[in-house]
Every structure is written in C-alpha cells, then in structure tokens.
Amino acid sequence: MWFNDKNALVGKRFRTTADTKELLELHGLLAESFASRAEDRAGNAEEHIRRVKQLTGILVRAMLDNDYPEFTAEYADNIILASPLHDIGKITVRDEILKKGDKLTSGESGELMNHTLAGSEILHELAEAVGGGTYIAVAAVIARYHHERWNGCGYPDRLRGEAIPLAARIMSIVDSFDCLAAGCPYSKKVGVDGAAELLRKFAGEYYDPALTDMFLTKMDAIRELY
Ligand SMILES: [Fe+2]
Ligand SMILES: [Fe+2]
C-alpha cells in the first residue's frame, strides 16, 4: 500500500517550491475547516474564520508598508496562516456553553475562557511534533494570548501592553472587529462603521493603539469583505 511505502512520502514529496505552496494551501484549508467547527458549533463560523484571515492579511500588509519594526514578510505569512486557529481550543468547550452566548454563569465563563489554554496546549504539542519555526508555533501563541487586553484586564495571564505577543495583539483587533461588525454569540452586530468606532474608542484600553490606527487606515479594503 502506498501509505506503507515510506519512500513514497519521504524525500520525494513537497520538495519543490510549487509543492510547498500546494501543501501550505492544503494546510490553510484544513485549518479553516477544523477551526470553523471548533469556534462555534451552534452556528456558522465559516465566514468569521474566513474574514478573520482576510482582515489579518490587511493589517499585516499595512504593518509591512509602514516598516513596522522587526516585522518580516515571513512572519506576516505565518500569522495569516495561523489566524484561523485562534479559537481551536473551543473544541474542548461543551456545546451548551458555546450555545448560551453571553448569559454564562461564572463557572461556565471560566470554562469558556479556558479555550485559550486548551488551544495553546493542542497547538504547542503539534508545533513540537513538527519541529520549530512553523506557523503552528505562532498559532499556539495566538491561541493563548488573543484575549489579553492592552490595559492588562484580559485573560488568561493579564498581560499588559507590549508584553502581549505581537501576533496576539493583531488577532485581538481583527477578531473583535469581525465579531462586532458581523455579530457573534458574545456581541450584537453593530456593522462595519460601528465596529470601527468601537475599536477607535477602545484603542489604548483594549487594543494596541498603533496597530489599531494602522488597521483603521484600511477601511476601504475592510468594507469590501462585508
Ligand atoms: Fe477566543
Ligand atoms: Fe474568533
């Protein structure tokens, strides 16, 4: 059988740039598919996952255009690929909690908040298994820290400001933006302009102010996604 023939896979496959590109595309699709099932089993999260990836692309390109310090195109690509996996830890959260929206007891919200730790654990193990330097390692960081807030009021570690990893500060902006613009189980829909207004209002409180400014200069491109 082909899958017992190690030589069929080792050395021959995915060696050329074209094959690597194909493999990355396949990875991207798998990640999106799993992530949308984990994120919101009560509803349809496919569009959220797709737009979060597109919004991430818009923000990281703005950062590259602005020569954001120590930010490379390779890191930007890894963040885009990692972005659909931000809530993969929700795979461990019970259905009734995911379906309950914003009316959770404190025990239930603790369980929901645990999706950050569960997600980073799953992705960290995967990253170790495939060796360092891949987008999976970036995804593990995003999964853990994407609910941290600039002023230190987030979770799970109550990190503040630039102590929050850059990839997670990016994700916090784009994830919140889509949740507000299109609505999600935890927030009612306020539309693209309403979401932009709220991001501006909470920049420096919840969101990295410099990154929020950069994101909001791209409203034309953002609007096209909705
Ligand atoms: Fe989350
Ligand atoms: Fe999300």
Side-chain angles (χ1 to χ4, degrees), residues 156-171:
D157 298 305
R158 300 181 78 84
L159 298 183
R160 184 188 288 263
E162 290 184 355
I164 305 165
L166 180 61
R169 279 182 267 144
I170 292 169
M171 193 52 46

Side-chain angles (χ1 to χ4, degrees), residues 39 48-49 52 83 86-87 90 146-147 171 175-176 178-179:
E39 171 121 0
H48 168 68
I49 295 288
V52 160
S83 61
H86 63 280
D87 272 337
K90 283 188 182 168
H146 69 284
H147 286 287
M171 193 52 46
D175 190 30
S176 299
D178 189 65
C179 187

Side-chain angles (χ1 to χ4, degrees), residues 120-139:
S120 75
E121 209 170 292
I122 292 165
L123 292 163
H124 190 70
E125 277 175 23
L126 203 55
E128 297 264 282
V130 295
T134 68
Y135 78 92
I136 302 287
V138 178

Side-chain angles (χ1 to χ4, degrees), residues 4-15:
N4 284 333
D5 179 6
K6 279 189 186 159
N7 291 329
L9 291 173
V10 179
K12 278 186 180 171
R13 297 257 172 152
F14 307 117
R15 248 191 164 166

